[in-house]
Amino acid sequence: PALVILTERGNTRWIFDLWFRREARTVISKLDDSGTALILRNMMLLEKIDYQAEELLYLIAQRMPQQVLEFLCQRLAVDESGEKRKTYDAIPYRLHKLDKPLAAIPREAVRIVRARYDGDYGMFVFRGAYLLKTIFPKFSMEFESELLSLVDEGGDGNLEFVLAVLRNYEGQTFIHKI
């Protein structure tokens, strides 16, 4: 109940009291889907995902990586909505731990982010495609396979999506196969 009130009031300071505590792991692991959704809804209010918030997201992603990835995509959508905030960094420039549980689901990650591609290639390169690059800083075989499957499916949208993702790797040799 307290988290509902904090969310209504736009307060996310509870994160800084919880992230470092040993009990955080236990509390997060015992949350049901609605409790996790409530935490993620509150974290939408964050101006940026800093180390403390990433630590809590990491704990959630160990059990529910798809929900955390959807959360990050929702943050990108808020950033694109034109709603003016002082500063709003939808996703971190670099992930410290969160990329590990998210990289464990390459097929879902590619499909979830692909579903969000709206045809705006120019913006997608710096948003959704960059999110995939932060999750997969090393180009895993599974990630490559998912991108190749989109190329095999064909269609302008799939090809633009794959090109936007590849653009974030700045021509590194491991993308040459694709």
Side-chain angles (χ1 to χ4, degrees):
L3 198 52
V4 172
I5 293 169
L6 290 172
T7 303
E8 288 171 359
R9 294 184 180 174
N11 187 328
T12 58
R13 290 183 297 236
W14 63 272
I15 293 169
F16 304 104
D17 292 329
L18 180 65
W19 77 273
F20 64 90
R21 295 179 185 265
R22 213 173 318 141
E23 299 88 0
R25 185 172 304 278
T26 306
V27 168
I28 298 289
S29 71
K30 291 185 179 186
L31 286 174
D32 60 4
D33 289 346
S34 63
T36 302
L38 186 56
I39 285 178
L40 295 176
R41 192 171 330 129
N42 180 272
M43 293 178 87
M44 284 295 291
L45 301 170
L46 290 169
E47 293 296 323
K48 69 178 196 165
I49 297 174
D50 54 13
Y51 180 81
Q52 295 86 352
E54 185 183 340
E55 187 67 28
L56 293 180
L57 288 171
Y58 171 76
L59 294 174
I60 295 169
Q62 288 180 316
R63 287 184 355 196
M64 304 172 161
Q66 290 94 341
Q67 285 84 339
V68 172
L69 187 56
E70 287 285 352
F71 162 78
L72 293 171
C73 287
Q74 286 174 339
R75 285 184 61 87
L76 287 171
V78 166
D79 198 22
E80 291 174 354
S81 71
E83 179 185 325
K84 298 296 179 206
R85 294 187 182 189
K86 285 188 237 173
T87 60
Y88 188 78
D89 292 330
I91 57 173
Y93 178 72
R94 199 175 104 219
L95 298 173
H96 301 281
K97 288 171 72 172
L98 184 56
D99 58 323
K100 306 220 182 355
L102 298 179
I105 56 163
R107 183 172 204 283
E108 293 87 352
V110 169
R111 297 298 168 171
I112 288 169
V113 176
R114 171 63 184 100
R116 301 276 183 154
Y117 179 58
D118 63 357
D120 186 352
Y121 177 85
M123 288 306 292
F124 186 75
V125 167
F126 302 107
R127 296 179 186 275
Y130 186 77
L131 173 61
L132 286 174
K133 200 262 188 195
T134 60
I135 293 170
F136 300 98
K138 305 279 190 254
F139 216 75
S140 71
M141 296 289 278
E142 297 84 8
F143 182 57
E144 180 180 293
S145 173
E146 288 307 314
L147 292 177
L148 283 171
S149 73
L150 288 176
V151 170
D152 290 342
E153 283 178 31
D156 290 346
N158 283 344
L159 296 177
E160 287 177 1
F161 174 86
V162 171
L163 288 172
V165 172
L166 294 178
R167 186 170 173 191
N168 279 281
Y169 289 94
E170 300 173 342
Q172 295 178 23
T173 57
F174 54 77
I175 67 170
H176 289 181
K177 182 178 177 183
I178 295 183

